[in-house]
Amino acid sequence: MRNKYFFVARDTVTCVVFFNTASDGRPPWETGRPQTEFMQLEQAGEILGSVLDVGCGTGENALYLAAQGHDVWGVDLAPASIQKARDKAAQRHQTVTFLVLNVLELHTLGRTFDTVIDSGLFHVLSDEERPRFVDNPATTIHPGGTYFMLCWSELEPAGGYGPRRITQAEIQASFQKG
Ligand code: SAH
C-alpha cells in the first residue's frame, strides 16, 4: 500500500482529488498529533503572534498552536481535510479559522500574519507553482515575520515513494527575494 500515497499528479484539479481522497483514509502524513518540530519551535519561543498554516491538512499543527494562545488560521485545497479540521476544533472547543483555499490565492485572505508554518506543502508544489506561491507569503507575512518549513529533504534516500526532495539550495533560491 506504500504507493497509494505516491503523489505524481501536478495540476490543481488532480491535486484536490488526490488529497481529498487521501483524507478519507489515514495518509502517512496524518499522524493525529502535531509535528515535533513545530512543538519545539513553539516551546523555544520562536513562533510569534498570529499564525497562518499553509496546506494545514486536518489541522493538528494549527490546533496545537491555537491551544498555546496564538490566533491561527489554516488553509487547504482539500475540502474533506478542512471539514475534518473544523470538526476537530469543534470537538476540542477550540477556535481556529479553517478555510478551503489554494495557497496561490493567499492574497485573498486580506490580512497578514506574524508567522507562516508549512508542514509538507512546499514539497508538493510544482516548479511552475513554487515561484507563484513564494510571491504570496511575501504579501502574507508581516515585515520581519517568519516562515517555517518542514519538507522532505535531499538527504532522504531517492526512490519512488514520497514527494519530491527539496534541497537547501532550492529553498534559498526560492525565498531569496524579500
Ligand atoms: N500540513 C498537513 C498536511 C500535509 S500534506 C500535515 O502536516 O499533516 C500536504 C497538504 O497540502 C494537503 O493537505 C494538501 O491538500 C495541501 N495542498 C496541496 N496543494 C495545495 C494548494 N495549492 N493549496 C492549498 N493546499 C494545498
Side-chain angles (χ1 to χ4, degrees):
M1 291 303 286
R2 261 161 74 86
N3 283 344
K4 179 176 170 193
Y5 297 109
F6 174 30
F7 184 58
V8 221
R10 272 312 345 143
D11 63 89
T12 304
V13 172
T14 351
C15 188
V16 174
V17 171
F18 172 83
F19 282 108
N20 228 19
T21 310
S23 108
D24 286 345
R26 182 75 184 259
W29 60 86
E30 198 177 319
T31 57
R33 59 169 181 74
Q35 291 286 347
T36 309
E37 286 76 8
F38 293 111
M39 295 171 75
Q40 287 173 344
L41 285 169
E42 169 63 16
Q43 284 152 21
E46 296 277 344
I47 299 209
L48 300 175
S50 56
V51 179
L52 174 65
D53 183 352
V54 287
C56 63
T58 67
E60 289 299 341
N61 296 316
L63 288 160
Y64 166 74
L65 293 175
Q68 310 309 307
H70 296 278
D71 166 26
V72 185
W73 287 33
V75 299
D76 200 285
L77 198 57
S81 298
I82 289 296
Q83 190 54 53
K84 278 192 184 176
R86 287 178 179 157
D87 291 347
K88 286 183 192 176
Q91 280 157 14
R92 299 177 197 180
H93 307 289
Q94 284 188 252
T95 306
V96 176
T97 303
F98 285 117
L99 299 173
V100 176
L101 187 72
N102 189 331
V103 294
L104 302 181
E105 306 292 331
L106 286 182
H107 54 278
T108 64
L109 291 176
R111 60 160 291 180
T112 56
F113 296 84
D114 299 298
T115 304
V116 175
I117 65 163
D118 166 349
S119 173
L121 178 271
F122 188 76
H123 65 200
V124 303
L125 298 178
S126 67
D127 288 339
E128 184 267 323
E129 287 171 320
R130 285 179 185 177
R132 291 171 60 202
F133 168 65
V134 169
D135 280 347
N136 265 319
T139 58
T140 311
I141 306 179
H142 284 156
T146 312
Y147 184 96
F148 291 107
M149 180 197 299
L150 183 65
C151 63
W152 273 49
S153 137
E154 63 199 295
L155 302 179
E156 288 283 339
Y161 178 69
R164 283 197 299 159
R165 281 47 168 169
I166 307 280
T167 65
Q168 285 282 340
E170 238 175 320
I171 296 172
Q172 276 158 15
S174 297
F175 288 91
Q176 68 185 353
K177 264 196 307 174

